[in-house]
Amino acid sequence: MSLGQKNRAKISGVAHWVPEKILSNKELEKMVDTTDEWITSRTGIKERHILEAGKASSDMAAEACKILFEKTGTDPDEIDVIVFGTVTPDMMFPASACLLQTKAGMSKAWGFDVSAACCGFAYSLVIGAQFIESGSAKKVLVVGSDKMSSIVDYTDRNTCILFGDAAGVVLLEKSEDEKLGILDYYNTVDGNGAQYLNMPGGGSLNPPTHETVDKKMHTIYQDGKNVYQYAVKGMSEASALIVERNGLSGKDVGLFVPHQANKRIIDSAAQRMGLKDDQVIINIEKYGNTTAATIPMALSEAVDAGRIKKGDYVVIAAFGGGFTCSSILVKWAY
Ligand code: UT7
Protein backbone atom coordinates (compact mmCIF):
# COMPACT_ATOMS: atom_id res chain seq x y z
CA MET A 1 0.00 0.00 0.00
CA SER A 2 1.35 3.43 -0.91
CA LEU A 3 1.77 6.08 1.72
CA GLY A 4 -0.88 8.82 1.51
CA GLN A 5 -0.09 11.82 -0.60
CA LYS A 6 -1.16 14.81 1.53
CA ASN A 7 2.40 15.60 2.59
CA ARG A 8 5.55 13.68 1.70
CA ALA A 9 7.74 12.70 4.68
CA LYS A 10 11.49 12.93 4.24
CA ILE A 11 14.43 11.77 6.31
CA SER A 12 16.30 14.98 7.12
CA GLY A 13 19.01 13.57 9.39
CA VAL A 14 20.40 10.32 10.75
CA ALA A 15 22.86 9.38 13.51
CA HIS A 16 24.02 6.35 15.45
CA TRP A 17 25.84 5.39 18.61
CA VAL A 18 27.60 2.20 19.74
CA PRO A 19 29.05 1.37 23.15
CA GLU A 20 32.84 1.20 23.35
CA LYS A 21 33.24 -2.34 24.66
CA ILE A 22 33.84 -4.92 21.93
CA LEU A 23 33.16 -8.65 22.13
CA SER A 24 35.20 -10.37 19.41
CA ASN A 25 34.78 -13.81 17.88
CA LYS A 26 38.08 -14.77 19.52
CA GLU A 27 36.65 -13.90 22.95
CA LEU A 28 33.51 -15.93 22.18
CA GLU A 29 35.75 -18.91 21.40
CA LYS A 30 36.65 -18.88 25.10
CA MET A 31 33.01 -18.71 26.21
CA VAL A 32 31.27 -21.35 24.01
CA ASP A 33 32.21 -24.16 21.63
CA THR A 34 32.67 -22.06 18.49
CA THR A 35 35.36 -20.69 16.20
CA ASP A 36 36.05 -17.37 14.53
CA GLU A 37 36.07 -19.28 11.24
CA TRP A 38 32.55 -20.74 11.81
CA ILE A 39 31.05 -17.40 12.84
CA THR A 40 32.68 -15.48 9.99
CA SER A 41 31.80 -17.95 7.27
CA ARG A 42 28.20 -18.60 8.44
CA THR A 43 27.23 -15.04 9.40
CA GLY A 44 29.85 -12.48 8.30
CA ILE A 45 30.22 -11.24 11.91
CA LYS A 46 33.68 -10.53 13.37
CA GLU A 47 32.76 -8.52 16.48
CA ARG A 48 29.88 -6.82 18.28
CA HIS A 49 29.60 -4.04 20.86
CA ILE A 50 28.27 -4.58 24.38
CA LEU A 51 26.65 -1.95 26.61
CA GLU A 52 27.71 -1.75 30.24
CA ALA A 53 25.46 -2.95 33.09
CA GLY A 54 23.24 -0.22 34.51
CA LYS A 55 22.62 1.33 31.06
CA ALA A 56 19.73 0.55 28.75
CA SER A 57 18.30 1.03 25.27
CA SER A 58 17.09 4.57 26.02
CA ASP A 59 20.63 5.59 27.10
CA MET A 60 22.09 4.51 23.76
CA ALA A 61 19.25 6.29 21.94
CA ALA A 62 19.92 9.46 23.98
CA GLU A 63 23.57 9.39 22.88
CA ALA A 64 22.51 8.99 19.24
CA CYS A 65 20.01 11.87 19.67
CA LYS A 66 22.77 14.21 20.88
CA ILE A 67 24.69 13.54 17.66
CA LEU A 68 21.55 13.90 15.51
CA PHE A 69 20.48 17.21 17.07
CA GLU A 70 24.03 18.55 16.68
CA LYS A 71 24.28 17.40 13.03
CA THR A 72 20.89 18.79 12.04
CA GLY A 73 20.87 21.90 14.23
CA THR A 74 17.64 20.70 15.86
CA ASP A 75 16.43 22.00 19.21
CA PRO A 76 15.12 18.91 21.08
CA ASP A 77 12.02 20.93 22.02
CA GLU A 78 11.05 20.98 18.33
CA ILE A 79 10.38 17.22 18.31
CA ASP A 80 6.63 16.48 18.31
CA VAL A 81 6.57 12.67 18.39
CA ILE A 82 9.02 9.87 19.32
CA VAL A 83 8.50 6.45 17.74
CA PHE A 84 10.88 4.02 19.45
CA GLY A 85 11.47 0.60 17.87
CA THR A 86 12.91 -1.89 20.34
CA VAL A 87 12.61 -5.44 21.57
CA THR A 88 14.67 -4.63 24.66
CA PRO A 89 12.84 -1.71 26.28
CA ASP A 90 14.41 -0.45 29.52
CA MET A 91 11.37 -1.83 31.38
CA MET A 92 8.01 -3.42 30.55
CA PHE A 93 6.60 0.05 31.16
CA PRO A 94 6.86 2.98 30.91
CA ALA A 95 7.86 2.96 27.25
CA SER A 96 11.49 3.69 26.42
CA ALA A 97 10.12 6.60 24.36
CA CYS A 98 9.05 8.25 27.64
CA LEU A 99 12.46 7.70 29.23
CA LEU A 100 14.21 9.01 26.11
CA GLN A 101 11.92 12.05 26.01
CA THR A 102 13.36 13.20 29.35
CA LYS A 103 16.95 12.04 28.78
CA ALA A 104 17.25 13.83 25.42
CA GLY A 105 15.35 16.93 26.53
CA MET A 106 12.43 16.65 24.09
CA SER A 107 10.08 18.40 26.50
CA LYS A 108 7.23 18.89 24.03
CA ALA A 109 7.22 15.41 22.50
CA TRP A 110 4.85 12.53 23.14
CA GLY A 111 5.77 9.03 22.06
CA PHE A 112 5.51 5.29 22.31
CA ASP A 113 7.42 2.05 21.65
CA VAL A 114 6.99 -0.28 18.70
CA SER A 115 7.61 -4.00 19.26
CA ALA A 116 8.43 -5.54 15.89
CA ALA A 117 11.78 -7.24 16.58
CA CYS A 118 14.14 -6.82 13.63
CA CYS A 119 11.50 -4.75 11.79
CA GLY A 120 11.24 -2.40 14.79
CA PHE A 121 12.92 0.49 13.01
CA ALA A 122 11.31 -0.12 9.61
CA TYR A 123 7.80 -0.25 11.08
CA SER A 124 8.58 2.81 13.25
CA LEU A 125 9.73 4.71 10.17
CA VAL A 126 6.46 3.95 8.39
CA ILE A 127 4.43 4.91 11.48
CA GLY A 128 6.42 8.11 11.99
CA ALA A 129 5.91 9.08 8.35
CA GLN A 130 2.12 8.98 8.85
CA PHE A 131 2.30 11.87 11.34
CA ILE A 132 4.17 14.01 8.82
CA GLU A 133 1.87 12.97 5.97
CA SER A 134 -1.27 13.79 7.89
CA GLY A 135 0.17 17.17 8.87
CA SER A 136 -0.27 16.44 12.58
CA ALA A 137 3.47 16.69 13.36
CA LYS A 138 6.33 18.78 12.00
CA LYS A 139 9.27 16.81 13.39
CA VAL A 140 9.24 13.13 14.29
CA LEU A 141 12.12 11.25 15.89
CA VAL A 142 12.33 7.61 14.84
CA VAL A 143 14.52 5.34 16.96
CA GLY A 144 15.93 1.84 16.62
CA SER A 145 17.78 0.85 19.77
CA ASP A 146 18.44 -2.54 21.30
CA LYS A 147 20.56 -3.88 24.13
CA MET A 148 20.49 -7.44 22.82
CA SER A 149 23.17 -8.50 25.34
CA SER A 150 20.46 -8.16 28.03
CA ILE A 151 18.44 -11.04 26.51
CA VAL A 152 21.21 -13.26 25.14
CA ASP A 153 22.19 -16.52 26.83
CA TYR A 154 26.00 -16.45 26.65
CA THR A 155 26.13 -20.24 27.06
CA ASP A 156 24.03 -20.82 23.87
CA ARG A 157 26.34 -20.86 20.85
CA ASN A 158 23.35 -20.84 18.48
CA THR A 159 22.42 -17.28 19.45
CA CYS A 160 25.15 -15.59 21.50
CA ILE A 161 27.46 -15.16 18.52
CA LEU A 162 24.85 -13.23 16.56
CA PHE A 163 23.78 -10.20 18.56
CA GLY A 164 25.17 -6.84 19.68
CA ASP A 165 24.05 -3.53 21.21
CA ALA A 166 23.58 -0.20 19.40
CA ALA A 167 21.22 2.67 18.61
CA GLY A 168 20.31 4.64 15.50
CA VAL A 169 17.94 7.59 15.10
CA VAL A 170 16.45 9.53 12.20
CA LEU A 171 14.61 12.83 11.95
CA LEU A 172 11.49 13.02 9.79
CA GLU A 173 10.08 16.26 8.39
CA LYS A 174 7.81 17.36 5.56
CA SER A 175 9.54 17.30 2.20
CA GLU A 176 9.34 20.57 0.27
CA ASP A 177 9.88 18.62 -2.96
CA GLU A 178 7.16 16.00 -3.07
CA LYS A 179 9.27 13.77 -5.38
CA LEU A 180 11.81 13.31 -2.58
CA GLY A 181 11.25 11.37 0.63
CA ILE A 182 9.55 8.14 1.67
CA LEU A 183 7.78 6.97 -1.48
CA ASP A 184 6.35 3.55 -0.70
CA TYR A 185 6.39 0.72 1.81
CA TYR A 186 5.39 -2.94 2.00
CA ASN A 187 4.94 -4.41 5.48
CA THR A 188 3.73 -7.90 6.36
CA VAL A 189 3.28 -10.12 9.41
CA ASP A 190 3.05 -13.90 9.61
CA GLY A 191 2.23 -14.88 13.18
CA ASN A 192 2.91 -18.55 12.40
CA GLY A 193 6.58 -17.62 12.62
CA ALA A 194 6.35 -16.75 16.32
CA GLN A 195 7.29 -20.32 17.25
CA TYR A 196 10.71 -20.05 15.57
CA LEU A 197 11.99 -16.82 17.14
CA ASN A 198 10.87 -15.54 20.50
CA MET A 199 11.63 -14.80 24.12
CA PRO A 200 8.96 -16.75 26.00
CA GLY A 201 9.45 -15.48 29.56
CA GLY A 202 8.56 -12.22 31.24
CA GLY A 203 5.31 -11.42 29.46
CA SER A 204 1.73 -12.13 30.53
CA LEU A 205 1.91 -15.74 29.32
CA ASN A 206 4.94 -16.69 31.40
CA PRO A 207 5.45 -14.07 34.12
CA PRO A 208 8.84 -14.27 35.83
CA THR A 209 9.21 -17.07 38.37
CA HIS A 210 12.17 -19.09 39.62
CA GLU A 211 11.13 -21.73 37.11
CA THR A 212 11.16 -19.36 34.10
CA VAL A 213 14.61 -18.18 35.12
CA ASP A 214 15.89 -21.74 35.62
CA LYS A 215 14.55 -22.67 32.17
CA LYS A 216 16.27 -19.64 30.60
CA MET A 217 12.96 -18.35 29.28
CA HIS A 218 14.14 -14.74 29.54
CA THR A 219 16.63 -15.14 26.71
CA ILE A 220 16.28 -15.44 22.94
CA TYR A 221 15.09 -18.71 21.46
CA GLN A 222 15.77 -19.12 17.74
CA ASP A 223 15.37 -22.03 15.36
CA GLY A 224 18.09 -20.61 13.13
CA LYS A 225 17.60 -22.92 10.14
CA ASN A 226 13.87 -22.21 9.84
CA VAL A 227 14.27 -18.48 10.39
CA TYR A 228 17.05 -18.44 7.81
CA GLN A 229 14.84 -19.99 5.12
CA TYR A 230 11.96 -17.59 5.78
CA ALA A 231 14.32 -14.62 6.03
CA VAL A 232 15.98 -15.30 2.66
CA LYS A 233 12.57 -15.60 0.96
CA GLY A 234 10.95 -12.73 2.86
CA MET A 235 13.74 -10.17 2.45
CA SER A 236 14.33 -11.06 -1.21
CA GLU A 237 10.66 -10.90 -2.19
CA ALA A 238 9.88 -7.74 -0.24
CA SER A 239 12.87 -5.82 -1.61
CA ALA A 240 12.23 -6.94 -5.19
CA LEU A 241 8.52 -6.09 -4.88
CA ILE A 242 9.05 -2.51 -3.72
CA VAL A 243 11.50 -1.86 -6.55
CA GLU A 244 9.40 -3.47 -9.27
CA ARG A 245 6.04 -2.00 -8.34
CA ASN A 246 7.56 1.48 -8.54
CA GLY A 247 8.68 0.81 -12.11
CA LEU A 248 12.33 0.51 -11.14
CA SER A 249 14.96 -2.20 -11.54
CA GLY A 250 18.17 -3.11 -9.75
CA LYS A 251 20.29 -0.66 -11.72
CA ASP A 252 18.16 2.26 -10.41
CA VAL A 253 18.94 1.44 -6.77
CA GLY A 254 21.47 3.86 -5.30
CA LEU A 255 21.89 1.90 -2.09
CA PHE A 256 20.27 -1.20 -0.60
CA VAL A 257 20.14 -0.89 3.20
CA PRO A 258 19.16 -4.31 4.56
CA HIS A 259 18.69 -5.50 8.13
CA GLN A 260 22.01 -7.02 9.19
CA ALA A 261 21.21 -10.49 10.54
CA ASN A 262 23.40 -12.64 8.32
CA LYS A 263 25.61 -11.68 5.38
CA ARG A 264 24.32 -14.66 3.41
CA ILE A 265 20.70 -13.44 3.74
CA ILE A 266 21.75 -9.97 2.53
CA ASP A 267 23.65 -11.46 -0.42
CA SER A 268 20.58 -13.46 -1.51
CA ALA A 269 18.31 -10.40 -1.43
CA ALA A 270 20.88 -8.30 -3.30
CA GLN A 271 21.27 -11.03 -5.91
CA ARG A 272 17.47 -11.27 -6.40
CA MET A 273 17.46 -7.54 -7.26
CA GLY A 274 20.55 -7.89 -9.45
CA LEU A 275 22.65 -5.49 -7.39
CA LYS A 276 26.41 -5.05 -7.51
CA ASP A 277 28.46 -4.99 -4.28
CA ASP A 278 28.78 -1.20 -4.29
CA GLN A 279 24.97 -0.88 -4.22
CA VAL A 280 24.71 -2.68 -0.86
CA ILE A 281 25.80 -1.60 2.60
CA ILE A 282 27.06 -4.36 4.85
CA ASN A 283 28.49 -3.52 8.28
CA ILE A 284 27.51 -6.72 10.11
CA GLU A 285 31.20 -7.60 10.57
CA LYS A 286 31.58 -4.75 13.10
CA TYR A 287 28.30 -4.87 15.00
CA GLY A 288 26.54 -8.22 14.54
CA ASN A 289 22.75 -8.16 14.63
CA THR A 290 21.64 -5.15 16.65
CA THR A 291 17.94 -5.82 15.87
CA ALA A 292 16.08 -2.48 15.58
CA ALA A 293 19.34 -0.54 15.29
CA THR A 294 20.85 -2.20 12.22
CA ILE A 295 19.09 -0.10 9.57
CA PRO A 296 19.49 3.40 11.06
CA MET A 297 23.11 2.48 11.86
CA ALA A 298 23.75 1.42 8.27
CA LEU A 299 21.98 4.52 6.92
CA SER A 300 24.04 6.74 9.20
CA GLU A 301 27.34 5.14 8.21
CA ALA A 302 26.39 5.30 4.52
CA VAL A 303 25.52 9.00 4.70
CA ASP A 304 28.72 9.78 6.66
CA ALA A 305 30.75 7.91 4.02
CA GLY A 306 29.07 9.81 1.16
CA ARG A 307 27.45 6.63 -0.18
CA ILE A 308 23.97 8.21 -0.32
CA LYS A 309 23.33 11.45 -2.21
CA LYS A 310 20.29 13.61 -2.78
CA GLY A 311 17.98 12.00 -5.36
CA ASP A 312 19.31 8.44 -4.83
CA TYR A 313 16.80 5.62 -4.53
CA VAL A 314 17.42 3.87 -1.19
CA VAL A 315 15.77 0.51 -0.55
CA ILE A 316 15.37 -0.49 3.09
CA ALA A 317 14.45 -4.10 3.94
CA ALA A 318 14.08 -6.10 7.12
CA PHE A 319 12.88 -9.48 8.34
CA GLY A 320 12.57 -10.78 11.88
CA GLY A 321 10.66 -12.13 14.84
CA GLY A 322 6.90 -12.31 14.34
CA PHE A 323 7.55 -13.03 11.55
CA THR A 324 7.69 -9.39 10.54
CA CYS A 325 8.86 -8.24 7.13
CA SER A 326 9.29 -4.78 5.65
CA SER A 327 10.60 -2.97 2.62
CA ILE A 328 10.61 0.79 2.14
CA LEU A 329 11.50 2.88 -0.92
CA VAL A 330 13.06 6.27 -0.22
CA LYS A 331 14.26 8.93 -2.66
CA TRP A 332 16.94 10.56 -0.56
CA ALA A 333 16.19 14.20 0.19
CA TYR A 334 19.53 15.76 1.20
O1 UT7 B 1 17.39 -10.97 12.79
C1 UT7 B 1 16.31 -11.79 13.09
C2 UT7 B 1 16.19 -12.90 12.13
N1 UT7 B 1 17.24 -13.85 12.33
C3 UT7 B 1 17.91 -14.30 11.28
O2 UT7 B 1 17.68 -13.85 10.17
C4 UT7 B 1 18.90 -15.40 11.51
C5 UT7 B 1 18.64 -16.52 10.57
N2 UT7 B 1 19.50 -17.70 10.78
C6 UT7 B 1 20.83 -17.68 10.55
O3 UT7 B 1 21.40 -16.64 10.25
C7 UT7 B 1 21.57 -19.00 10.59
O4 UT7 B 1 20.65 -20.03 10.64
C8 UT7 B 1 22.54 -19.13 11.80
C9 UT7 B 1 23.73 -18.20 11.62
C10 UT7 B 1 21.81 -18.80 13.09
C11 UT7 B 1 23.07 -20.56 11.86
O5 UT7 B 1 23.72 -20.90 10.63
P1 UT7 B 1 23.37 -22.23 9.86
O6 UT7 B 1 24.25 -22.28 8.68
O7 UT7 B 1 21.89 -22.25 9.61
O8 UT7 B 1 23.79 -23.32 10.89
P2 UT7 B 1 22.89 -24.48 11.55
O9 UT7 B 1 21.98 -23.90 12.58
O10 UT7 B 1 22.30 -25.30 10.46
O11 UT7 B 1 24.00 -25.33 12.25
C12 UT7 B 1 24.98 -26.06 11.51
C13 UT7 B 1 25.90 -26.73 12.49
C14 UT7 B 1 25.16 -27.50 13.57
O12 UT7 B 1 25.91 -28.66 13.86
P3 UT7 B 1 25.45 -30.08 13.29
O13 UT7 B 1 24.06 -30.30 13.84
O14 UT7 B 1 25.47 -29.91 11.80
O15 UT7 B 1 26.47 -31.01 13.85
C15 UT7 B 1 25.19 -26.57 14.76
O16 UT7 B 1 25.13 -27.24 15.99
O17 UT7 B 1 26.67 -25.74 13.16
C16 UT7 B 1 26.54 -25.91 14.58
N3 UT7 B 1 26.62 -24.61 15.22
C17 UT7 B 1 27.78 -24.03 15.53
N4 UT7 B 1 29.06 -24.43 15.39
C18 UT7 B 1 30.03 -23.61 15.80
C19 UT7 B 1 25.61 -23.77 15.56
N5 UT7 B 1 26.10 -22.66 16.12
C20 UT7 B 1 27.45 -22.79 16.11
C21 UT7 B 1 28.51 -21.97 16.52
N6 UT7 B 1 29.78 -22.40 16.35
N7 UT7 B 1 28.30 -20.75 17.08
Side-chain angles (χ1 to χ4, degrees):
M1 199 208 322
S2 265
L3 291 161
Q5 294 298 310
K6 193 177 173 203
N7 292 318
R8 174 82 67 204
K10 68 170 181 184
I11 295 174
S12 54
V14 52
H16 69 281
W17 187 85
V18 281
E20 250 174 59
K21 190 181 166 206
I22 288 174
L23 176 60
S24 67
N25 289 353
K26 283 281 167 206
E27 285 166 281
L28 280 165
E29 282 181 359
K30 295 180 207 142
M31 295 161 65
V32 287
D33 181 15
T34 192
T35 59
D36 173 38
E37 198 283 326
W38 191 96
I39 302 171
T40 308
S41 62
R42 299 287 180 123
T43 70
I45 302 166
K46 294 299 279 186
E47 58 189 34
R48 65 290 290 142
H49 292 245
I50 304 292
L51 185 64
E52 68 196 83
K55 297 275 181 190
S57 296
S58 73
D59 294 300
M60 293 192 289
E63 294 292 342
C65 279
K66 267 189 226 160
I67 301 166
L68 179 76
F69 295 152
E70 175 79 37
K71 265 184 174 176
T72 56
T74 305
D75 178 342
D77 283 340
E78 293 174 64
I79 303 295
D80 300 307
V81 187
I82 303 162
V83 189
F84 195 127
T86 187
V87 80
T88 51
D90 300 32
M91 316 176 196
M92 286 290 279
F93 73 91
S96 292
C98 303
L99 304 170
L100 177 64
Q101 185 256 357
T102 297
K103 284 177 187 171
M106 295 178 277
S107 66
K108 302 206 170 75
W110 68 283
F112 54 92
D113 289 2
V114 171
S115 173
C118 296
C119 287
F121 175 80
Y123 280 17
S124 297
L125 189 64
V126 170
I127 295 165
Q130 313 295 315
F131 293 108
I132 302 292
E133 295 212 331
S134 68
S136 70
K138 287 202 166 68
K139 293 191 193 234
V140 176
L141 180 83
V142 181
V143 183
S145 181
D146 269 304
K147 184 184 182 184
M148 296 308 289
S149 62
S150 67
I151 57 166
V152 162
D153 172 5
Y154 283 98
T155 64
D156 175 12
R157 70 175 184 173
N158 291 299
T159 51
C160 75
I161 55 126
L162 299 171
F163 296 98
D165 304 337
V169 290
V170 308
L171 183 62
L172 291 180
E173 293 178 81
K174 180 183 164 184
S175 180
E176 296 313 324
D177 179 348
E178 90 102 18
K179 291 193 182 68
L180 299 176
I182 300 174
L183 303 184
D184 194 11
Y185 74 93
Y186 172 72
N187 285 350
T188 63
V189 160
D190 177 5
N192 293 310
Q195 61 190 304
Y196 303 119
L197 180 51
N198 57 54
M199 190 183 86
S204 53
L205 181 62
N206 299 298
T209 60
H210 286 293
E211 194 191 354
T212 63
V213 172
D214 290 345
K215 288 184 170 167
K216 299 195 169 169
M217 289 167 75
H218 301 276
T219 54
I220 301 164
Y221 165 77
Q222 176 170 252
D223 174 345
K225 254 196 180 76
N226 254 310
V227 177
Y228 183 87
Q229 280 163 15
Y230 281 101
V232 166
K233 193 169 178 293
M235 282 256 293
S236 302
E237 286 179 0
S239 353
L241 180 145
I242 204 84
V243 168
E244 284 158 18
R245 83 171 176 192
N246 283 278
L248 305 171
S249 70
K251 64 176 174 9
D252 302 307
V253 174
L255 196 69
F256 179 44
V257 182
H259 171 53
Q260 314 274 317
N262 188 319
K263 185 174 179 301
R264 292 184 291 147
I265 298 173
I266 297 171
D267 289 343
S268 303
Q271 206 179 0
R272 168 79 169 75
M273 281 187 288
L275 304 183
K276 301 196 192 94
D277 287 355
D278 64 355
Q279 290 173 286
V280 186
I281 180 151
I282 299 180
N283 60 9
I284 192 171
E285 69 283 359
K286 293 186 285 183
Y287 307 119
N289 182 350
T290 57
T291 304
T294 62
I295 289 170
M297 294 257 298
L299 278 175
S300 178
E301 288 201 334
V303 169
D304 288 350
R307 291 187 66 184
I308 305 180
K309 295 190 187 61
K310 188 172 179 176
D312 283 353
Y313 283 109
V314 173
V315 176
I316 290 169
F319 185 93
F323 291 135
T324 52
C325 185
S326 178
S327 60
I328 303 172
L329 180 67
V330 180
K331 201 160 172 33
W332 204 254
Y334 71 99

